[in-house]
């Protein structure tokens, strides 16, 4: 006997109870079988589902329902449609057999078959049913695997595409920032020392406005590419949202309704507050445009630990949501929403960088961004930022930059000749004694020559054997009292670690305004003066003796 076959659950439908004894005796040699008897043919489907029948034996002649109707009912129900049905009949009539097969019977036995034949037929159909179920389960599993593989391939393709676009945009933004610095620096220098009339000053201001727009565009590109150095600190998102409340309402206009929901126990998160402010403001502007100036904007902030979307890894987060009641996005637009320069707005009404900037910033900050939208039902953007247990950093007052100079000596290190010339011209106009170096190696030669230098203003990415960081180490060793200020339009991998700027380094991003440059330089030089005063020996009190002399 074969004992390793699947368990056989046999259901007998027959109005004569003695048939149960005959079938039970005939199946004695069927190892591992279970026989269930039902006298009511009307309950055939119900009982077959209850006992999980793998083979059904149906008597042909019964008073209420005959074997044809029972077979037809079994075939009509999805749970029993594939169960093998063997019709038992006392008639060896070809027409009856043909009709039985026509309504869905798998086999036909004339009462009463030899036990060996009965066991063989039951076992055959039971094994075939088991193999069919295994095949169907394998196909279902394969179908799920194929769907998961297709989804993974799509996600990988999207990630690769976004990464490729990010690398391209990061490189473009770097060169673009240098070009903007040349234009903006010379315009600012012309404004400072050019003795321009009112008409010329107006033209210069218009050109500088264009430079400012270009700088914002480059900053958005770097944010998307995750190459924007972040000044991350622990912040209280609730405080930031409350500070932005009035601004949000002004942006949306009087026709829009703003609802703010902030958990009272909202946690802190480590993030660049200025960049987060820009992201939330851009999302609010997108919501305003989607609602055509009217509708409801919901700003929600809460702690998120459980029930996270599948895109968000397990952990503790602060969730910030901007949701609108606008027109929403169709699936084909939603799929491309984070791509830079992709926009559905008319020409001149959007750059297509708002969502891409948000995507890059959130990813670079170690978080996740989830976009949900449905046509006619609005859009929801949820930002998940890792929660921090540290106390929020104190909020510093923002002071307006003043165009002030000094008499100190500044070493400007820049490989781009036109950038270097315009920066040196601005600093000279502010009264500084300026020394120029075309690369870090030349700057080292100047330092080793013994020249007095108060501050080194150096580009980050330069050709040559000496890197900007090595130059910084040499300055710290040879000129311990000198300050160093870096500048770059693209500092990935040089000054930043995991997208965040080292707190001990000072970076001024290109393109920079003369006011910002002047303010940063004065700040560093004043800090040097304060440090020098703290270590200077105190003067002896008046009237005290020195070396015994009065």
């Amino acid at each position: 006997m074969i004992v390793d076959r699947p368990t056989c659950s046999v259901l007998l439908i027959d109005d004569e109870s003695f048939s149960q004894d005959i079938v039970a005796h005939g199946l004695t040699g069927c190892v591992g079988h279970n026989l269930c008897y039902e006298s009511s043919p009307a309950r055939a489907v119900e009982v077959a589902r209850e006992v999980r029948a793998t083979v059904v034996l149906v008597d042909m002649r019964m008073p209420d329902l005959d074997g044809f109707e029972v077979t037809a009912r079994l075939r009509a129900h999805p749970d029993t449609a594939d169960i093998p049905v063997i019709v038992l009949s006392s008639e060896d009539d070809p027409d009856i057999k043909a009709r039985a097969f026509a309504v869905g019977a798998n086999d036909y036995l004339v009462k009463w078959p030899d036990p060996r034949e009965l066991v063989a037929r039951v076992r055959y159909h039971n094994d075939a049913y088991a193999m069919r179920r295994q095949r169907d389960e394998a196909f279902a599993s394969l179908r799920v695997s194929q769907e998961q593989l297709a989804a993974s391939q799509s996600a990988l393709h999207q990630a690769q595409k976004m990464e490729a676009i990010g690398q391209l945009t990061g490189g473009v933004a770097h060169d673009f920032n240098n070009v903007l610095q040349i234009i903006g620096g010379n315009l600012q220098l012309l404004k400072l020392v050019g003795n321009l009339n009112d008409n010329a000053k107006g033209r210069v201001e218009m050109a500088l406005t264009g430079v400012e727009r270009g700088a914002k565009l480059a900053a958005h590109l770097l944010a998307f590419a995750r190459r924007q150095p972040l000044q991350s600190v622990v912040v209280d998102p609730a405080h930031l949202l409350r500070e932005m409340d009035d601004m949000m309402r002004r942006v949306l206009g009087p026709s829009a309704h703003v609802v703010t929901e902030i958990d009272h126990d909202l946690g802190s998160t480590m993030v660049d507050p200025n960049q987060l402010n820009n992201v939330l403001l851009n999302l609010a502007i997108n919501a305003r445009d989607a609602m055509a100036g009217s509708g409801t904007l919901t700003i929600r902030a809460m702690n998120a630990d459980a029930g996270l979307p599948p895109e968000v890894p397990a952990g503790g987060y602060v969730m910030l949501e901007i949701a609108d009641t606008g027109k929403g996005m169709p699936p084909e637009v939603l799929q491309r929403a984070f791509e830079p320069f992709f926009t559905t707005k008319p020409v001149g009404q959007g750059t297509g960088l708002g969502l891409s900037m948000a995507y890059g910033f959130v990813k670079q900050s170690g978080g996740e961004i989830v976009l949900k939208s449905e046509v006619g039902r609005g859009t929801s953007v949820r930002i998940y930022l890792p929660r921090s247990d540290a106390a929020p950093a104190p909020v510093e007052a923002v002071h307006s930059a003043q165009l002030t100079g000094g008499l100190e000596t500044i070493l400007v290190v820049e490989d781009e000749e036109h950038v270097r010339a315009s920066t040196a011209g601005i600093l000279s106009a502010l009264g500084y004694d300026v020394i120029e170096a075309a690369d870090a190696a030349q700057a080292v030669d100047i330092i080793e020559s013994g020249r007095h230098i108060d501050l080194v203003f150096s580009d980050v990415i330069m050709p040559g054997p000496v890197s900007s960081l090595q130059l910084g180490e040499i300055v710290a060793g040879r000129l311990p009292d000198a300050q160093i200020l870096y500048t770059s339009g693209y500092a990935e991998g040089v000054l930043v670690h995991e997208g965040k700027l080292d707190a001990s380094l000072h970076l001024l991003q290109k393109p920079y305004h003369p006011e910002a440059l002047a303010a940063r330089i004065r700040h560093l030089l004043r800090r040097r003066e304060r440090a020098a005063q703290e270590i200077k020996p105190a003067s002896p009190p008046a009237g005290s003796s020195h070396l015994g002399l009065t």
Side-chain angles (χ1 to χ4, degrees):
M1 295 182 184
I2 300 175
V3 297
D4 58 349
R5 288 176 172 176
T7 301
C8 182
S9 177
V10 181
L11 172 62
L12 173 63
I13 308 294
D14 197 317
D15 60 316
E16 298 288 351
S17 59
F18 68 85
S19 299
Q20 180 181 7
D21 298 330
I22 297 175
V23 172
H25 174 73
L27 292 176
T28 302
C30 185
V31 178
H33 83 279
N34 178 54
L35 177 63
C36 179
Y37 170 72
E38 176 56 48
S39 61
S40 172
R43 299 187 65 241
V45 172
E46 178 185 352
V47 177
R49 295 176 64 196
E50 289 177 358
V51 303
R52 297 184 179 180
T54 59
V55 177
V56 179
L57 302 176
V58 182
D59 185 35
M60 175 58 69
R61 301 299 181 186
M62 292 180 287
D64 298 325
L65 299 174
D66 60 18
F68 301 127
E69 181 62 26
V70 172
T71 301
R73 290 190 178 188
L74 288 168
R75 288 289 170 262
H77 198 283
D79 292 344
T80 60
D82 298 326
I83 299 177
V85 177
I86 301 176
V87 174
L88 297 173
S89 176
S90 58
E91 302 172 76
D92 190 8
D93 186 335
D95 291 336
I96 297 177
K97 291 180 181 180
R99 185 180 173 189
F101 287 121
V103 295
N106 298 83
D107 209 341
Y108 189 99
L109 286 176
V110 178
K111 294 180 179 179
W112 290 104
D114 185 277
R116 292 170 297 180
E117 182 181 2
L118 177 63
V119 169
R121 299 282 183 119
V122 167
R123 266 302 177 193
Y124 170 79
H125 291 294
N126 175 81
D127 294 352
Y129 179 59
M131 293 179 64
R132 179 170 184 170
R133 283 191 301 175
Q134 291 175 359
R135 182 201 65 187
D136 292 345
E137 290 172 359
F139 275 123
S141 176
L142 178 61
R143 197 159 46 242
V144 171
S145 298
Q146 288 176 332
E147 291 172 355
Q148 292 175 343
L149 178 60
S152 299
Q153 288 175 334
S154 176
L156 176 61
H157 175 71
Q158 183 71 5
Q160 289 174 333
K161 180 175 69 173
M162 299 291 271
E163 181 63 24
I165 296 174
Q167 291 177 355
L168 175 63
T169 54
V172 169
H174 169 244
D175 293 338
F176 192 37
N177 276 331
N178 271 334
V179 172
L180 290 173
Q181 186 58 55
I182 294 171
I183 300 170
N186 282 284
L187 287 170
Q188 291 285 2
L189 185 58
L190 186 62
K191 183 180 173 183
L192 283 173
V193 300
N195 296 319
L196 304 176
N197 58 34
D198 291 340
N199 185 41
K201 286 181 180 178
R203 296 291 182 181
V204 169
E205 289 295 343
M206 289 175 61
L208 287 172
T209 301
V211 171
E212 180 68 23
R213 289 178 61 186
K216 290 182 179 179
L217 178 64
H220 288 176
L221 288 172
L222 286 173
F224 164 74
R226 300 182 229 172
R227 287 157 174 82
Q228 183 88 317
L230 299 179
Q231 302 279 356
S232 298
V233 295
V234 179
V235 301
D236 177 7
H239 175 78
L240 185 144
L241 288 173
R242 293 188 187 100
E243 289 286 315
M244 294 185 65
D245 189 73
D246 289 341
M247 182 185 298
M248 290 281 199
R249 295 178 189 278
R250 287 196 300 269
V251 165
L252 290 170
S255 300
H257 180 53
V258 180
V259 177
T260 304
E261 301 174 0
I262 302 176
D263 279 6
H264 69 279
D265 59 346
L266 187 66
S268 302
T269 184
M270 189 167 185
V271 73
D272 186 321
N274 293 326
Q275 292 292 337
L276 180 58
N277 191 304
N278 290 338
V279 165
L280 295 176
L281 188 58
N282 271 284
L283 294 178
I285 292 172
N286 282 348
R288 178 199 64 191
D289 296 343
M291 297 188 298
S294 62
T296 300
L297 177 75
T298 302
I299 303 171
R300 186 177 292 110
M302 59 184 291
N303 296 323
D305 300 284
L308 299 172
E311 304 96 321
V312 181
Y317 297 89
V318 172
M319 190 280 290
L320 307 178
E321 181 182 18
I322 303 293
D324 64 62
T325 56
K327 57 186 178 183
M329 307 180 199
E332 62 273 13
V333 172
L334 186 64
Q335 188 176 10
R336 300 186 59 192
F338 287 129
E339 294 182 14
F341 300 113
F342 176 77
T343 179
T344 57
K345 296 178 183 178
V347 176
Q349 295 187 21
T351 61
L353 287 173
L355 282 175
S356 64
M357 181 192 68
Y359 173 88
F361 164 73
V362 173
K363 289 286 189 178
Q364 191 175 353
S365 300
E368 293 291 338
I369 183 167
V370 179
L371 179 63
K372 302 292 184 184
S373 187
E374 188 176 340
V375 175
R377 302 192 65 178
T379 299
S380 165
V381 183
R382 291 189 174 187
I383 296 173
Y384 293 83
L385 296 171
R387 200 162 58 245
S388 173
D389 295 328
V395 179
E396 297 182 1
V398 179
H399 301 285
S400 59
Q402 298 293 327
L403 191 59
T404 56
L407 301 176
E408 292 89 351
T409 301
I410 298 177
L411 173 59
V412 177
V413 188
E414 171 64 62
D415 62 299
E416 285 277 352
E417 179 182 357
H418 297 298
V419 174
R420 185 174 69 251
S422 63
T423 301
I426 291 172
L427 293 175
S428 296
L430 294 175
Y432 293 107
D433 181 15
V434 181
I435 307 170
E436 299 182 36
D439 56 32
Q442 187 177 344
V444 171
D445 292 339
I446 295 172
I447 292 170
E448 292 181 344
S449 71
R451 290 289 300 272
H452 173 74
I453 297 171
D454 296 295
L455 182 140
V456 176
F457 183 50
S458 174
D459 190 23
V460 172
I461 301 177
M462 294 180 292
V466 182
S467 70
S468 56
L469 281 181
Q470 290 172 329
L471 173 61
E473 294 171 357
I474 293 171
V475 170
R478 302 290 178 87
L479 302 171
D481 294 332
Q483 300 293 304
I484 184 164
L485 175 62
Y486 293 102
T487 182
S488 179
Y490 177 66
E492 185 205 13
V494 181
L495 298 181
V496 295
H497 303 281
E498 297 181 352
K500 297 173 183 177
L501 189 66
D502 192 315
S504 64
L505 300 175
H506 303 279
L507 177 69
L508 180 63
Q509 291 178 248
K510 293 178 181 177
Y512 44 81
H513 291 279
E515 290 87 353
L517 175 61
R520 291 296 294 275
I521 287 177
R522 289 315 314 164
H523 170 74
L524 292 175
L525 291 175
R526 281 195 298 268
R527 191 178 71 165
R528 185 193 66 158
E529 293 170 1
R530 288 194 299 268
Q533 290 174 358
E534 290 173 359
I535 63 175
K536 183 179 179 180
S539 301
S544 64
S545 62
H546 180 62
L547 298 178
L549 301 176
T550 60

